[in-house]
Amino acid sequence: MINQIQYNFDEVIDRRNTNAEKYDALKRFYGTDDIEPFWVADMDLASPNFLVDKLIDRVKHSIFGYTEKSLELFESIEWWMKNEHNLDINKSTIGLSPSVVSTLCMTIQSFSNIGDSIVTFSPVYGPFFSSVKSHKRNLVDLPLIINNGKFQIPFEHLESILKKNDVKLLLLCNPHNPGGRVWSKDELLKIVRLCIDNNVIIFSDEIHSDIVYKPNVHTPILALNEAKNISILAHSIGKTFNTSGLKSSFFIVENEIIKNKLIHFQKLSHVDNINLIGKTAMQVLLSPEGANYKRQLVDYLRLNTSLVYKKLLINNKLKPMESDATFLVWCDFRNYGSWQEVSKMLINDAKVALSGGKFFGSSGEGWFRINCGHPRLKLLSAVDRICKTFKF
Ligand SMILES: Cc1ncc(COP(=O)(O)O)c(C=O)c1O
């Protein structure tokens, strides 16, 4: 029955004037709203109808008072991690959080002090930098190595930094945004061993882990026995079901001391619970129906990202990265001048808003990220405009 539901991701839905940052903040960020947005990492694809129906039912109840953290919600998370990620977890290891970035901030507060060092691999999702800096910690930015068009972990650099400095935390984007890399078990194990040797806690942001293209397989950090004692895994329904506006995420921590400390800091700021609509959504989405939606979505996004990659590759001065995961394609435009010059051409000639690479750290300068979570025709016609603009 479940598998008979077919989703139509080609449907174009007007999002203007719905408080959608991707549309309604265009003028503020790009100086015009006469362009098509492929920046903010949410999708222009509808969430499943069974979610909408459930939310309507709940809204019709008409009372929206304080809520419990129900056993069923934790069972849904447990089921999803087992069914979709082959990860056995106990309900007692799960915490709720309004967002992955808020879990990141709580992690920084819980496990480091002002002036302490925190390591990350760049380019990476901007709040990895801004959250560390706003907490007045010292960010140690290790640029990823590009090998055969794919990001690689700079292991030697990591080892020497961890040996020389008193690093408290390592922030890992697993899979990686913006490069779309799925880190292998061996790569993760090497990182984990270096962190164990140097008393470093790992924050593994796995928000993109449901959108992975076969034969690549995501390895949750907690699937590695050695990592269990030192890791925080953060995940969310936000990317998978396009529900970032519902502000609902969760984390999993096996080590009791780390978990209790993190929850203690959440409680200090009263952010250890999530909103009612988000809870309702999480419980209904992390289910067999949700898994069916996800499989169709991943098939759709796989073709979108690979078509975009191939179109960009035809121009041998643009250097796109092939995505193993995520609905994002990361592309090097440096052959076309400074990022400011490229930006102007993207906005004025191609009429698109892409995410500029500097958001992802200084190693991202001159690169741009294209969001492929859009109806295919619209996406490909925008990419055709980009190819035409950067023809010579
Ligand atoms: C790697 C990564 N982490 C976290 C987030 C944001 O998650 P949240 O909205 O749950 O804070 C994003 C959004 O683009 C992301 O790409």
Side-chain angles (χ1 to χ4, degrees):
M1 194 64 165
I2 286 165
N3 288 326
Q4 287 168 3
I5 304 171
Q6 285 294 323
Y7 296 98
N8 174 17
F9 297 114
D10 287 326
E11 187 190 357
V12 175
I13 301 171
D14 186 1
R15 295 184 65 195
R16 286 185 195 259
N17 305 312
T18 62
N19 275 325
E21 183 185 10
K22 192 196 259 175
Y23 285 85
D24 295 351
L26 274 174
K27 192 142 195 170
R28 186 153 48 98
F29 283 90
Y30 295 86
T32 172
D33 47 18
D34 187 24
I35 50 177
E36 279 188 333
F38 298 89
W39 58 313
V40 176
D42 64 20
M43 300 186 285
D44 279 15
L45 311 178
S47 296
N49 267 341
F50 68 85
L51 167 68
V52 177
D53 293 343
K54 184 78 187 178
L55 295 185
I56 290 171
D57 274 356
R58 185 59 189 85
V59 168
K60 278 186 175 161
H61 179 261
S62 83
I63 296 181
F64 311 108
Y66 292 110
T67 58
E68 272 284 275
K69 294 177 186 165
S70 76
L71 180 65
E72 289 78 11
L73 173 58
F74 287 82
E75 282 172 351
S76 302
I77 296 171
E78 202 182 39
W79 180 88
W80 187 264
M81 295 312 289
K82 176 66 188 163
N83 202 66
E84 295 301 304
H85 296 289
N86 199 22
L87 184 71
D88 279 306
I89 52 163
N90 188 294
K91 285 181 275 301
S92 64
T93 62
I94 302 168
L96 302 179
S97 169
S99 75
V100 168
V101 174
S102 97
T103 310
L104 166 62
C105 291
M106 289 297 137
T107 300
I108 293 170
Q109 290 175 27
S110 310
F111 303 105
S112 66
N113 291 307
I114 289 177
D116 282 345
S117 291
I118 298 179
V119 167
T120 197
F121 304 112
S122 75
V124 74
Y125 177 59
F128 276 38
F129 293 96
S130 53
S131 304
V132 170
K133 286 181 187 158
S134 63
H135 283 86
K136 298 192 167 47
R137 275 48 165 181
N138 170 40
L139 185 85
V140 185
D141 171 8
L142 304 185
L144 290 158
I145 297 163
I146 299 178
N147 196 356
N148 287 328
K150 295 264 183 191
F151 280 133
Q152 307 289 340
I153 304 285
F155 282 109
E156 279 177 26
H157 198 178
L158 175 63
E159 187 166 7
S160 77
I161 290 291
L162 294 188
K163 273 194 182 138
K164 270 189 268 157
N165 298 264
D166 186 18
V167 173
K168 301 291 184 210
L169 276 170
L170 179 139
L171 310 181
L172 181 69
C173 196
N174 177 34
H176 190 73
N177 169 15
R181 250 313 296 279
V182 168
W183 306 118
S184 71
K185 223 176 227 177
D186 284 349
E187 285 170 310
L188 292 172
L189 208 50
K190 266 172 127 171
I191 295 173
V192 169
R193 287 183 179 150
L194 286 170
C195 287
I196 290 174
D197 290 347
N198 293 283
N199 289 321
V200 175
I201 290 176
I202 298 176
F203 175 84
S204 183
D205 174 341
E206 307 198 359
I207 196 167
H208 292 281
S209 62
D210 287 313
I211 300 169
V212 169
Y213 308 123
K214 284 183 185 142
N216 300 290
V217 178
H218 168 67
T219 304
I221 196 77
L222 294 173
L224 305 172
N225 271 332
E226 279 136 301
K228 285 187 194 294
N229 237 351
I230 60 157
S231 302
I232 296 160
L233 184 164
H235 194 12
S236 164
I237 51 172
K239 302 293 167 202
T240 320
F241 299 101
N242 207 20
T243 56
S244 293
L246 299 185
K247 287 275 174 200
S248 307
S249 81
F250 60 93
F251 57 83
I252 307 167
V253 188
E254 293 276 350
N255 179 291
E256 188 96 352
I257 297 170
I258 296 179
K259 188 194 78 184
N260 289 341
K261 194 162 184 194
L262 186 56
I263 290 178
H264 169 74
F265 271 84
Q266 277 196 306
K267 285 186 188 239
L268 285 181
S269 297
H270 286 258
V271 288
D272 60 318
N273 205 347
I274 60 174
N275 72 84
L276 163 66
I277 296 296
K279 270 183 185 161
T280 310
M282 210 188 271
Q283 195 175 318
V284 73
L285 288 169
L286 301 181
S287 65
E289 289 87 348
N292 173 48
Y293 170 88
K294 183 196 105 165
R295 273 186 273 288
Q296 292 179 44
L297 174 75
V298 169
D299 285 347
Y300 192 83
L301 295 174
R302 177 196 192 101
L303 192 55
N304 274 12
T305 51
S306 76
L307 288 172
V308 168
Y309 167 75
K310 283 177 191 153
K311 272 182 183 284
L312 296 171
L313 201 61
I314 292 171
N315 171 337
N316 57 21
K317 283 166 79 182
L318 289 174
K319 308 277 177 225
M321 275 189 182
E322 195 167 15
S323 301
D324 307 336
T326 78
F327 48 80
L328 311 163
V329 169
W330 182 237
C331 183
D332 183 357
F333 282 77
R334 286 175 298 178
N335 282 327
Y336 287 95
S338 68
W339 68 268
Q340 292 93 335
E341 286 163 337
V342 172
S343 245
K344 273 192 200 142
M345 291 166 81
L346 286 167
I347 295 168
N348 298 334
D349 304 327
K351 302 269 180 208
V352 292
L354 305 187
S355 298
K358 272 173 63 120
F359 173 72
F360 305 88
S362 54
S363 60
E365 190 171 316
W367 293 68
F368 287 80
R369 192 192 69 181
I370 303 168
N371 178 344
C372 301
H374 289 251
R376 191 166 295 141
L377 280 181
K378 215 172 153 194
L379 171 70
L380 296 183
S381 84
V383 174
D384 284 341
R385 293 200 302 277
I386 295 173
C387 293
K388 214 167 140 201
T389 301
F390 296 93
K391 207 164 169 185
F392 304 107

